[in-house]
Amino acid sequence: MNALRQCRFLNTRAVHQAAALTKKLEAHGGIVIEHPLIAIDMPADFSPVRQALHLLEHYQWLIFTSVNSIRFFFQLLKDEGVDLTLLENMKFAAVGGQTAAALEKKGYRAAVVPKAFAAEHLADELVNVIKSGERVLFPRSSLARNVVVAGLERVGIEVDAPVIYETVYDVSGAERLNRLLKAGTLDVILFTSPSAVHSFFQQVSASVWENSRHSLRVAVIGAITARALTDYRVDDVIVAEQHTLDGLIDTLISEREMLRVASEFKRGRNNDSE
């Protein structure tokens, strides 16, 4: 299990999510530095989501587009003392295999999980299955794109989309991030969300990035995150074929020979300069 031996990865996931990716990389011999670029927190104003939870019987569909939304939703149900039997007759939709799996761990199966893990595809599938008069509750991130709500409302489906958690840029380690890039020892930077991409480029100086970008590979979990990188003229990106952590690992392994050669070349170059 050493397919990624000696490759050095920068894991940019939030603190509470980083360990899962780190363990998978290390299991294949990768060397991982964790550096969170985003943080997840409770919303400043709970009133919209609280109101929705206490009117749960008025909804027929629940949409989740992230594991975090499930985590916060069920925690709030518990905190607010909402009767879980109200969920028994509801239908669920989820974006991504990990989100659907997290929902199943709570005891509920998603009726709709689009094959392509993107919100656009979820909206397209839902308009064909949501019946006239059914209402939708979509607890979402503060940075969630509006494509699901817009897609459903366009055909007259009523959607309530209260913010259930805040996604904020974690800039506390900006100096460390620039030092890591200057050191030239990283091989691959991993992004699993567009917000992490935007946080990264908000913190890294233009000169540091320009001097380091040609000796690095960038790998992402899906097309939406890859699209965010194009805003910063980063087009040479490794994109997971399956948009899950396991899919990302599999794609990295398929690129292992190129990563290994680049890593060994960099190690040799750094040793020559010492």
Side-chain angles (χ1 to χ4, degrees):
M1 298 287 284
N2 288 314
L4 300 175
R5 182 174 60 87
Q6 293 188 343
C7 286
R8 295 178 179 268
F9 297 91
L10 187 69
N11 177 358
T12 64
R13 301 192 89 200
V15 170
H16 72 285
Q17 293 178 309
L21 179 55
T22 292
K23 288 179 181 178
K24 291 177 185 294
L25 291 165
E26 290 179 341
H28 292 281
I31 300 168
V32 185
I33 297 173
E34 293 182 358
H35 188 92
L37 292 176
I38 59 172
I40 308 298
D41 206 350
M42 295 288 195
D45 182 8
F46 264 126
S47 55
V49 70
R50 276 201 179 105
Q51 182 178 0
L53 292 182
H54 287 286
L55 294 173
L56 209 53
E57 66 273 17
H58 296 290
Y59 299 98
Q60 288 73 46
W61 282 86
L62 257 172
I63 296 175
F64 295 108
T65 56
S66 72
V67 173
N68 284 318
S69 62
I70 291 173
R71 181 167 67 95
F72 280 98
F73 178 80
F74 282 93
Q75 183 60 53
L76 277 173
L77 286 181
K78 180 180 178 181
D79 293 345
E80 294 293 312
V82 177
D83 185 0
L84 290 179
T85 61
L86 294 173
L87 298 176
E88 291 178 357
N89 295 319
M90 295 188 74
K91 288 161 280 191
F92 299 85
V95 170
Q98 288 178 262
T99 307
L103 185 60
E104 283 203 34
K105 286 182 179 179
K106 296 294 184 181
Y108 305 93
R109 183 181 293 273
V112 176
V113 183
K115 291 181 180 179
F117 297 168
E120 291 90 341
H121 298 282
L122 178 63
D124 290 342
E125 292 197 24
L126 284 174
V127 297
N128 295 317
V129 296
I130 295 177
K131 298 176 182 177
S132 176
E134 289 186 325
R135 294 181 62 186
V136 177
L137 178 60
F138 173 28
R140 61 184 179 87
S141 160
S142 59
L143 296 183
R145 296 178 303 135
N146 198 45
V147 292
V148 172
V149 174
L152 296 180
E153 289 184 339
R154 192 177 300 119
V155 295
I157 296 171
E158 187 175 353
V159 185
D160 289 330
V163 171
I164 199 165
Y165 68 93
E166 300 272 359
T167 303
V168 297
Y169 298 162
D170 185 346
V171 299
S172 60
E175 289 186 13
R176 176 179 184 254
L177 180 59
N178 281 275
R179 286 199 306 270
L180 286 169
L181 292 173
K182 284 181 181 179
T185 55
L186 295 172
D187 299 309
V188 185
I189 301 175
L190 303 171
F191 295 111
T192 59
S193 69
S195 52
V197 171
H198 298 311
S199 177
F200 177 87
F201 284 99
Q202 186 179 94
Q203 299 179 58
V204 173
S205 77
S207 60
V208 168
W209 175 243
E210 193 57 36
N211 289 332
S212 60
R213 63 181 298 175
H214 300 295
S215 62
L216 288 166
R217 295 303 308 276
V218 176
V220 301
I221 201 167
I224 303 301
T225 305
R227 192 183 306 164
L229 283 160
T230 63
D231 293 343
Y232 306 96
R233 299 180 181 178
V234 181
D235 301 307
D236 183 16
V237 178
I238 298 170
V239 182
E241 293 182 14
Q242 294 292 322
H243 302 166
T244 63
L245 293 186
D246 286 333
L248 179 58
I249 298 296
D250 289 343
T251 300
L252 288 168
I253 290 173
S254 72
E255 300 272 348
R256 64 186 180 276
E257 186 60 24
M258 182 168 53
L259 294 176
R260 183 187 64 79
V261 170
S263 176
E264 290 181 356
F265 173 78
K266 186 182 294 184
R267 300 290 95 76
R269 186 185 63 186
N270 287 344
N271 289 338
D272 289 342
S273 65
E274 290 176 355

